[in-house]
Amino acid sequence: MSTDGQTANALASAAYSALQRGDPTAALSACDAALLQVHGRQALAARLHAWRAQALQMTGAIPDARRALRAALATAREAGDEAGIKALQPLSASLFAQAAAARSQAPDESTLIARALAALDAGDTVSGERLARAARRQAQTDESPRDEVIALLALARIPALAEQSVQAAA
């Protein structure tokens, strides 16, 4: 086995050990280094991507973990590793559940824009418009173009204001 192959094996072992210890930072470092050394060893590369996804999940970086999982699945498919693909199903389900839970969490009702959106969701366009306009003024005062665009898009949910709000946001 080449020096690169031995290095990849040692780094893969370190990544796996780090995951077992609950050390996602060390696991990520070892995975990233090993992925540079695997040259043509698709099955090992797939496992490294999967371990990287697990480490990212441990840190709470769910979007990054899902990207790493997609890389693991693609690499396992390229390698024809059906057992590896099947082994990734629990991780896939776990990441999907975490992503879904994150999307379903209630928004922070303490901000003007959140209250505006809640009012609009409830069908209260008068309060929604008033709050969205206040949110836009606050964004302009804070010099926050991002928040101003969000406020304008909230205003665009009101049919009479849709066209002018979208144009102002663009």
Side-chain angles (χ1 to χ4, degrees):
M1 180 177 294
S2 72
T3 303
D4 282 352
Q6 291 171 338
T7 302
N9 288 347
L11 289 166
S13 179
Y16 182 78
S17 294
L19 282 174
Q20 295 302 305
R21 290 191 315 271
D23 185 351
T25 304
L28 286 168
S29 179
C31 285
D32 290 343
L35 284 166
L36 297 173
Q37 305 292 323
V38 293
H39 310 297
R41 298 175 60 196
Q42 296 299 81
L44 179 57
R47 280 168 183 70
L48 287 164
H49 284 297
W51 293 338
R52 192 168 190 286
Q54 288 176 309
L56 288 163
Q57 181 183 32
M58 291 169 73
T59 68
I62 303 307
D64 292 334
R66 291 180 71 196
R67 278 189 285 280
L69 175 64
R70 284 192 293 274
L73 287 166
T75 306
R77 280 189 199 102
E78 287 174 20
D81 185 3
E82 293 302 320
I85 293 169
K86 186 172 175 91
L88 291 171
Q89 289 175 345
L91 177 59
S92 179
S94 174
L95 287 172
F96 179 80
Q98 282 184 290
R103 281 192 300 269
S104 68
Q105 290 176 352
D108 178 5
E109 293 288 327
S110 67
T111 65
L112 285 170
I113 194 61
R115 294 195 334 251
L117 292 170
L120 291 167
D121 288 345
D124 183 357
T125 56
V126 173
S127 294
E129 180 181 353
R130 180 180 48 78
L131 289 163
R133 288 185 187 283
R136 183 179 184 199
R137 284 190 300 276
Q138 182 64 51
Q140 290 169 334
T141 299
D142 294 345
E143 297 181 5
S144 175
R146 175 189 170 274
D147 290 348
E148 184 177 2
V149 168
I150 292 170
L152 285 164
L153 293 175
L155 287 168
R157 292 180 57 189
I158 301 167
L161 303 174
E163 187 174 337
Q164 72 187 49
S165 296
V166 169
Q167 288 177 354

